[in-house]
Amino acid sequence: MYSDYQHLIDLSDYPVSWWKKLIELGEDVKNDPAKYSHECAGKVMATLFYEPSTRTQMSFQTAMIRLGGEIIGFDNPANSSVAKGETIKDTTKIVSGYADILVIRHPIAGAAKAASLTADCPVINAGDGGHLHPTQTLTDLLTLKIEKKTLSGLTIGMCGDLLNGRTVHSLCKALSMFSNNKFIFISTKELGMPAYIKDIIKANGSTFEEVHTLEEVIGKLDVLYMTRIQQERFASEEEYLAQKNTYVLDRRKMQLAKKDMIVMHPLPRVDEITVDVDDDPRAMYFTQAKYGVYVRMALIMTMLKEKNRFETLKGKVYSGVRCSNPKCITNHEEYLPKSFRSSGDETLLECEYCDERKLI
Ligand code: NCD
């Protein structure tokens, strides 16, 4: 299935050379933002945020305003026709008739892909449930490029809710495409990295290890990527409380880290980094949030300039087969074609919207 517009649903839909060009452009924007201040004059960007956001939404909006464009959208679906039961298909169709580019965040995995099937303009995934968050990854790559001067040969610790954290899923997929990166996953066994991400890392030739405490590995890391326990993705309050406060980065633990390790976090932070770490020169999370504007400026300009036909669905519909993930958009919006990739023998299918695997 093809669209006449180019979309950013998952960075893996593009070659690494495309991401590299975006990061380079992001660096140039950072160094001379004024040069780009009229690039999007006369263009309108719509932000459809079905889920709370501070940084992602405001950095997208700031990016468009700094490019000379205009913004429309909602940040509370209760104030839009979504509250009356409108589908993603209809909302997307209508808003893409008003705007030149559409940015969507949604609590259900695969929602951005669903939007791209009907939109009459480019769609950018600003986070789909616990699945992916490609523009946070672009932000993270720009931060690493500027602050570590490389995207290769790094030992990266990822700590916290690796099961539900969409930022670490997208980041692992991306960093495993660069040579000699080594991942150390620090989580409880309940909140470990999903198997499909670990398989992608292996297939890309990178390595990973899994541990349960921060202290045992912090001294080895070049980058520590902290994440919040994603309370909103838990089935019950009890399950969340059992995980809360497991990992807290504080000054004492920072003493065990390398002098040039950097601490990243997509934010918001809850209690996983104590405020006394903020003054440590290795704390990079506030700078990281700022870099998000530059890379999103680069992305908006690029998406508005490039005019390539885009393959939205590459898989097959298997008669009677549906995705087994209750948090997949295909189980919420019935009209969507249920499309699966097969592993070769067609007994193991992967949902193209949320990546959930299914044996048939
Ligand atoms: C993250 C998100 O929404 O996934 N925040 C962000 O976009 N900067 C991380 C989080 O909510 O924990």
Side-chain angles (χ1 to χ4, degrees):
M1 201 170 161
Y2 283 89
S3 157
D4 289 338
Y5 301 90
Q6 197 166 308
H7 308 287
L8 176 58
I9 307 306
D10 177 346
L11 280 174
S12 314
D13 292 331
Y14 292 89
V16 177
S17 56
W18 189 83
W19 323 344
K20 282 189 177 160
K21 263 201 253 153
L22 275 181
I23 312 279
E24 271 163 34
L25 183 56
E27 257 189 294
D28 199 55
V29 173
K30 173 183 179 281
N31 296 334
D32 188 2
K35 192 163 107 193
Y36 298 96
S37 59
H38 300 292
E39 282 288 319
C40 291
K43 299 287 184 195
V44 174
M45 179 184 78
T47 49
L48 307 185
F49 275 58
Y50 293 72
E51 217 188 24
S53 170
T54 302
R55 272 149 296 275
T56 306
Q57 190 192 25
M58 286 201 211
S59 64
F60 261 114
Q61 294 177 337
T62 307
M64 190 51 160
I65 292 168
R66 292 210 185 281
L67 291 167
E70 308 278 341
I71 55 171
I72 58 168
F74 60 74
D75 56 11
N76 181 357
N79 294 337
S80 75
S81 281
V82 174
K84 301 179 189 168
E86 189 167 65
T87 58
I88 289 187
K89 181 173 198 246
D90 289 2
T91 306
T92 306
K93 189 82 191 162
I94 300 304
V95 179
S96 66
Y98 303 152
D100 301 286
I101 188 159
L102 206 150
V103 181
I104 181 167
R105 166 171 288 193
H106 199 283
I108 306 291
K113 186 180 268 295
S116 74
L117 304 186
T118 32
D120 293 321
C121 74
V123 172
I124 296 175
N125 181 5
D128 59 329
H131 186 220
L132 296 173
H133 194 346
T135 70
Q136 180 64 46
T137 294
L138 291 172
T139 303
D140 299 341
L141 295 179
L142 179 63
T143 306
L144 289 171
K145 175 88 193 309
I146 295 174
E147 301 300 334
K148 295 301 288 181
K149 314 269 179 288
T150 182
L151 298 175
S152 307
L154 295 168
T155 301
I156 307 124
M158 296 186 167
C159 178
D161 188 347
L162 308 184
L163 178 68
N164 301 300
R166 55 195 172 196
T167 61
V168 284
H169 301 164
S170 287
L171 187 57
C172 280
K173 286 176 74 171
L175 280 176
S176 63
M177 295 294 288
F178 295 88
S179 57
N180 298 320
N181 285 326
K182 181 174 182 320
F183 299 92
I184 304 185
F185 299 138
I186 308 142
S187 74
T188 59
K189 65 176 188 332
E190 291 80 14
L191 298 184
M193 193 56 85
Y196 88 93
I197 298 284
K198 292 194 274 192
D199 287 349
I200 292 173
I201 292 174
K202 279 190 245 163
N204 289 342
S206 292
T207 58
F208 67 86
E209 63 179 284
E210 295 179 285
V211 299
H212 299 306
T213 70
L214 196 43
E215 287 89 336
E216 67 188 285
V217 291
I218 193 168
K220 298 195 228 174
L221 306 177
D222 300 310
V223 180
L224 172 58
Y225 197 99
M226 292 296 293
T227 64
R228 170 180 74 90
I229 307 295
Q230 307 276 301
Q231 180 174 9
E232 67 277 28
R233 316 249 181 256
F234 282 76
S236 70
E237 176 80 2
E238 291 72 54
E239 284 171 68
Y240 167 66
L241 292 175
Q243 298 292 334
K244 194 177 178 276
N245 283 329
T246 313
Y247 300 104
V248 179
L249 179 67
D250 55 16
R251 264 211 172 137
R252 190 182 56 79
K253 289 189 194 114
M254 285 299 283
Q255 282 170 1
L256 306 172
K258 289 186 191 170
K259 294 278 164 282
D260 63 348
M261 182 193 82
I262 62 168
V263 183
M264 296 172 69
H265 191 311
L267 302 177
R269 122 180 91 181
V270 182
D271 45 21
E272 59 280 358
I273 304 179
T274 57
V275 290
D276 59 9
V277 176
D278 296 356
D279 299 328
D280 190 307
R282 295 168 291 180
M284 211 49 69
Y285 30 93
F286 297 127
T287 308
Q288 182 187 352
K290 210 164 166 187
Y291 290 161
V293 174
Y294 308 127
V295 86
R296 290 185 172 105
M297 285 171 74
L299 177 65
I300 295 167
M301 282 191 277
T302 304
M303 299 290 287
L304 284 174
K305 269 187 204 140
E306 291 181 355
K307 295 263 180 298
N308 294 319
R309 226 163 142 246
F310 187 89
E311 197 172 11
T312 48
L313 288 178
K314 301 184 179 85
K316 261 171 59 182
V317 174
Y318 292 79
S319 164
V321 178
R322 53 188 307 140
C323 180
S324 48
N325 176 9
K327 295 179 186 167
C328 173
I329 196 68
T330 56
N331 288 317
H332 292 256
E333 308 240 343
E334 273 304 320
Y335 59 85
L336 290 166
K338 291 155 192 57
S339 178
F340 296 89
R341 293 181 286 256
S342 90
S343 57
D345 62 4
E346 307 214 340
T347 55
L348 183 67
L349 301 182
E350 217 170 55
C351 172
E352 245 201 294
Y353 295 80
C354 74
D355 294 310
E356 176 91 353
R357 287 168 174 181
K358 191 179 175 88
L359 277 171
I360 55 163

